[in-house]
Amino acid sequence: MEQDNLAYLDALLAAAPEGAGFNDLVASAQGADPATILERIQALGMTVDVEPPRAVLDEQRRPLPYSRSLLPLPHPLDFEWRFSATCARTLIERARSVAGPSGRVALLATPSIAERLADSAARNNTAAYTLFEIQRSTCRALEQHTTLSIEQRDVATLAADQRVREQFTLVLADPPWYLPSLHAFVRSGSQMLHVGGTLQLCIPGLATRPGIDREREQLVIEARRVGLATEAVEQGVLEYDSPPFEQSAFQAASLPLVERTWRSGDIIRFRKLSPHADLVPTPSMQIRYEASRWTEFQFGRSRIRVDTARTAPVPALRPAVASVVLPTVSSRDPRRAAANVWTTSNQVYLTPDPHKLAESLRDAMDSFDGAASLDADNEAARIVLEDLRRLTQVGAVEKI
């Protein structure tokens, strides 16, 4: 399976026009990670200019779009990427076109769409939209700035909720890009749609990771089982802003600079042809937000999570990797399993006493009034200060 994926990526790279630079290859690689692309370039013996174009250099001097967002910064454990402003505008226009003046639209795990609607409330009928989002902090941030209907829900449970059954003309869904979550969103989306309604499901490009082609086949089969017919696959229509944790990981991996909107995705469009009444509740979608395992502490824009259920076999707090920042965002990296402390900037630590660290973080949070209020001699405070420093370095927060 992995060899098939690499062969497909190699073919994409080989088909690039002569003189294409590294950023050009990333843009045309159908979602493949820049680190993987660099590895394949080296394995194939290709000579490629890795110097970033001027536009990318200029972009790096500006803050990340996330720094201006009213939403909390994404945490790496949530596997959350948000649409770029351009992509969000396009998706809203598409939603208007599909739903028409009287149709209702369900937004499943698309807070950046909700944020865009809040920004342009005067030009949009926000009453037609309902956001279903699992993270409490995201819902609270949006509720303060929009009249959009917002429900804090695990999308996986909506398939069995009679209150939302056949209530929507359009469902726009952006699940975590892993098969259990994709299936859960398809099941819930089908139940929420009127017969004749449309599900627009955001999915990874074919080169994103091994096995995507087979996952798509399974997804189409599942969709058919729940009354959905596949209408089209739209390649490369999605554009995501690279989150701070990914920017931090790229720096730790010493990757060449790439455009911040390098990550693309596809939309698979389904039409609901028949009702499907016998769906049963699906397991909670824990791949996206493992709230039962991790306790979160917020310090301004910094979000520190501790797995209090798991100790680490170390004598004292220490980084889980030599670089402190895990230099990848892939869920397949085996080093992820060891860490029991995780920060917004993808820093990972091991602690032998997570309960004690959690208590220390809670005390520091209670008295937090900016970075200057943190005691640098306290190990919990040092984690926060290092996270804030790293977030500043990647342009996600103002200087501390």
Side-chain angles (χ1 to χ4, degrees):
M1 188 179 296
E2 184 167 359
Q3 290 304 314
D4 291 345
N5 176 259
L6 294 179
Y8 183 73
L9 176 56
D10 290 351
L12 291 176
L13 297 176
E18 185 176 352
F22 183 67
N23 269 262
D24 301 315
L25 296 177
V26 170
S28 63
Q30 297 184 23
D33 185 90
T36 304
I37 294 171
L38 187 61
E39 290 173 2
R40 297 316 300 165
I41 287 171
Q42 295 167 347
L44 294 169
M46 298 174 63
T47 301
V48 173
D49 184 6
V50 298
E51 287 299 313
R54 180 174 294 276
V56 172
L57 290 173
D58 291 343
E59 180 185 60
Q60 293 293 319
R61 298 187 184 98
R62 298 191 293 269
L64 289 174
Y66 292 91
S67 68
R68 302 185 297 273
S69 173
L70 59 88
L71 301 175
L73 292 179
H75 194 282
L77 287 172
D78 295 335
F79 299 97
E80 182 184 4
W81 278 254
R82 297 174 188 161
F83 301 124
S84 70
T86 300
C87 182
R89 283 194 296 268
T90 300
L91 292 173
I92 290 170
E93 290 301 322
R94 288 168 56 119
R96 286 179 182 160
S97 176
V98 172
S102 58
R104 294 184 65 198
V105 180
L107 305 173
L108 306 187
T110 57
S112 52
I113 297 291
E115 182 177 26
R116 187 68 195 172
L117 286 167
D119 287 344
S120 55
R123 301 190 299 277
N124 293 284
N125 176 19
T126 55
Y129 298 83
T130 301
L131 172 70
F132 298 88
E133 166 62 40
I134 197 169
Q135 294 192 63
R136 181 181 294 108
S137 58
T138 296
C139 293
R140 286 178 175 172
L142 286 168
E143 285 167 350
Q144 296 173 17
H145 294 87
T146 180
T147 58
L148 188 80
S149 177
I150 299 170
E151 294 195 26
Q152 187 199 343
R153 298 289 300 277
D154 182 341
V155 171
T157 67
L158 295 174
D161 189 340
Q162 293 299 314
R163 294 185 306 108
V164 298
R165 185 176 179 190
E166 297 187 1
Q167 295 297 306
F168 297 92
T169 306
L170 170 67
V171 173
L172 173 59
D174 190 22
W177 285 352
Y178 300 95
L179 196 58
S181 296
L182 290 164
H183 279 201
F185 275 61
V186 163
R187 288 190 288 265
S188 293
S190 177
Q191 286 293 79
M192 299 170 78
L193 285 170
H194 302 298
V195 172
T198 299
L199 169 62
Q200 296 182 355
L201 186 74
C202 304
I203 59 174
L206 281 171
T208 302
R209 67 169 183 274
I212 293 291
D213 52 346
R214 292 171 177 80
E215 289 183 9
R216 287 193 182 186
E217 293 171 3
Q218 295 174 52
L219 192 61
V220 168
I221 292 170
E222 177 66 11
R224 189 183 307 125
R225 186 185 73 82
V226 297
L228 298 172
T230 305
E231 285 195 327
V233 177
E234 302 175 70
Q235 182 176 301
V237 296
L238 299 175
E239 179 182 83
Y240 293 87
D241 282 325
S242 179
F245 64 81
E246 184 174 67
Q247 290 291 299
S248 183
F250 284 177
Q251 287 186 7
S254 300
L255 288 180
L257 292 177
V258 293
E259 191 173 1
R260 288 171 173 172
T261 53
W262 72 270
R263 185 178 292 273
S264 64
D266 302 347
I267 286 180
I268 185 165
R269 196 168 70 243
F270 298 103
R271 178 80 62 183
K272 185 171 180 178
L273 298 184
S274 62
H276 193 92
D278 61 345
L279 287 181
V280 296
T282 56
S284 183
M285 192 181 56
Q286 291 299 323
I287 190 170
R288 177 145 193 252
Y289 187 54
E290 298 170 336
S292 60
R293 279 186 51 197
W294 297 83
T295 302
E296 179 170 300
F297 304 91
Q298 293 192 27
F299 299 83
R301 301 286 271 168
S302 172
R303 303 167 67 188
I304 312 298
R305 290 189 185 170
V306 180
D307 183 357
T308 55
R310 205 159 44 87
T311 61
V314 292
L317 179 77
R318 69 171 181 82
V321 294
S323 55
V324 185
V325 174
L326 186 65
T328 175
V329 298
S330 172
S331 66
R332 292 171 288 133
D333 190 285
R335 292 171 292 183
R336 296 180 69 93
N340 58 356
V341 182
W342 216 302
T343 79
T344 331
S345 61
N346 217 38
Q347 296 179 68
V348 286
Y349 296 89
L350 306 171
T351 177
D353 192 342
H355 286 283
K356 181 179 178 181
L357 179 63
E359 290 175 6
S360 183
L361 285 165
R362 188 174 291 107
D363 290 342
M365 187 174 66
D366 289 343
S367 60
F368 181 71
D369 186 23
S373 67
L374 294 168
D375 179 4
D377 293 329
N378 179 284
E379 67 176 17
R382 286 198 297 272
I383 292 174
V384 179
L385 287 168
E386 184 59 24
D387 191 45
L388 288 169
R389 185 195 68 79
R390 192 78 186 185
L391 291 173
T392 301
Q393 187 175 340
V394 299
V397 300
E398 295 180 358
K399 293 186 182 299
I400 59 174

